[in-house]
Amino acid sequence: MEKPTFILGVGAQKAGTTWLYNQLNHCNFVNMGCLKEYHVWDAIYSEEMNSFISIPKKNEIPAEALRRLMQTNSGAYEQYFSGLISDNVTITGDITPSYAVLTGEQFTSIKKRLENVGFNVKVIFLMRDPVRRNWSALRMYVRDSKEAKIDGKLIASQFKRFYTSLEFKIRTNYNLTISALRTSFSADEIFIGFYENLFDANSLNKLSTFIEADLNFDVKIKYNSSLEIDLPIEVYRECMKYYEDIYHYCYKEFPITKNLWGR
């Protein structure tokens, strides 16, 4: 009997992870559970992500109680997902973009936990042009803020303060994420994709082959879209300069990004 598959999605934020989750969760043989982002390992391991630590609240939804259980009880995480597997369900997983900040040692620990309950663990890491990723994240925060004033020029003027902040930088350190993953997983256990060509037939075929499942992707549906606000070219170039080490790394490791990224 083949082992069930656990999809560990580790980012990047605003690089197609919500689309991927919904595509997987619509398959009859996939059960991703009650959450898209479980925020277990980032909350446990990363001080920068301690805002995801679940705190008891009145009238909280069951899913939040589950998250807190996973964060505080050793074994609860892997046992929950193991319980989702059945004769008809062979794939489950957790797609939490902020897992991108984890270290190789931490990924190794997570992998062992899941393998100990019988899973074959596969990692998916999607990247996006660093400037575009940060710009989309800022627009998402503005969209979700009830107090923020939607002023394109004002948002653009504040962009540098956001993309130079620690929270934004650690989510864009693609080199560190990939190094950590390669420390813990073999090459055939890691899928690295790019938002800019994720919806092309070739990329989708590669993703289906990696997951070892016949997935009927719908590329017309958009999820979690950010506000449509143009990014001035001079602001783009300034941010690109700030992240030039990330661009150079990706250009070398993944030459296709030379065509996919940049303006």
Side-chain angles (χ1 to χ4, degrees), residues 38 41 47 107 165 169 176 182 216 245:
Y38 285 83
W41 306 114
E47 291 184 6
F107 279 129
S165 68
K169 287 195 292 185
L176 299 183
R182 288 174 172 171
N216 185 22
D245 289 347

Side-chain angles (χ1 to χ4, degrees), residues 79-92:
Q79 290 299 328
Y80 170 76
F81 288 106
S82 181
L84 299 179
I85 299 299
S86 65
D87 291 340
N88 297 321
V89 175
T90 57
I91 298 175
T92 186

Side-chain angles (χ1 to χ4, degrees), residues 48-239:
E48 292 78 9
M49 297 295 165
N50 60 15
S51 61
F52 293 118
I53 294 175
S54 180
I55 300 173
K57 300 176 183 177
K58 290 184 178 180
N59 302 318
E60 69 180 1
I61 61 174
E64 188 60 34
L66 172 65
R67 175 180 286 132
R68 187 167 62 257
L69 178 68
M70 290 180 172
Q71 291 177 355
T72 57
N73 288 263
S74 179
Y77 181 84
E78 55 266 38
Q79 290 299 328
Y80 170 76
F81 288 106
S82 181
L84 299 179
I85 299 299
S86 65
D87 291 340
N88 297 321
V89 175
T90 57
I91 298 175
T92 186
D94 174 9
I95 300 177
T96 301
S98 46
Y99 289 170
V101 307
L102 302 181
T103 67
E105 183 179 0
Q106 291 161 355
F107 279 129
T108 297
S109 176
I110 297 167
K111 180 184 180 185
K112 288 181 178 178
R113 284 176 175 272
L114 292 164
E115 288 179 338
N116 286 342
V117 295
F119 280 114
N120 178 28
V121 185
K122 291 178 176 286
V123 176
I124 297 178
F125 182 50
L126 305 176
M127 291 183 284
R128 184 176 184 176
D129 178 330
V131 179
R132 295 294 181 189
R133 193 213 72 74
N134 281 284
W135 181 239
S136 181
L138 173 57
R139 288 182 289 132
M140 178 185 68
Y141 292 153
V142 171
R143 180 201 68 192
D144 295 342
S145 174
K146 295 180 180 179
E147 299 179 0
K149 181 180 179 181
I150 301 176
D151 181 325
K153 291 183 178 180
L154 177 61
I155 294 170
S157 70
Q158 296 175 339
F159 185 39
K160 184 175 182 178
R161 178 167 59 87
F162 279 86
Y163 71 70
T164 59
S165 68
L166 180 61
E167 180 184 357
F168 274 52
K169 287 195 292 185
I170 61 177
R171 289 177 180 269
T172 317
N173 284 335
Y174 301 156
N175 54 331
L176 299 183
T177 301
I178 292 170
S179 176
L181 291 175
R182 288 174 172 171
T183 298
S184 310
F185 297 89
S186 61
D188 62 346
E189 294 173 327
I190 304 172
F191 179 90
I192 294 176
F194 307 95
Y195 174 84
E196 288 80 7
N197 69 355
L198 179 62
F199 311 110
D200 295 349
N202 185 48
S203 296
L204 296 177
N205 287 335
K206 289 181 179 179
L207 185 56
S208 291
T209 299
F210 173 76
I211 297 174
E212 297 182 281
D214 185 14
L215 301 172
N216 185 22
F217 294 111
D218 188 340
V219 299
K220 296 180 181 179
I221 301 178
K222 291 185 177 182
Y223 300 93
N224 199 27
S225 297
S226 301
L227 288 172
E228 291 295 332
I229 302 174
D230 290 334
L231 177 65
I233 184 63
E234 63 275 11
V235 178
Y236 180 98
R237 289 172 176 166
E238 184 179 20
C239 182

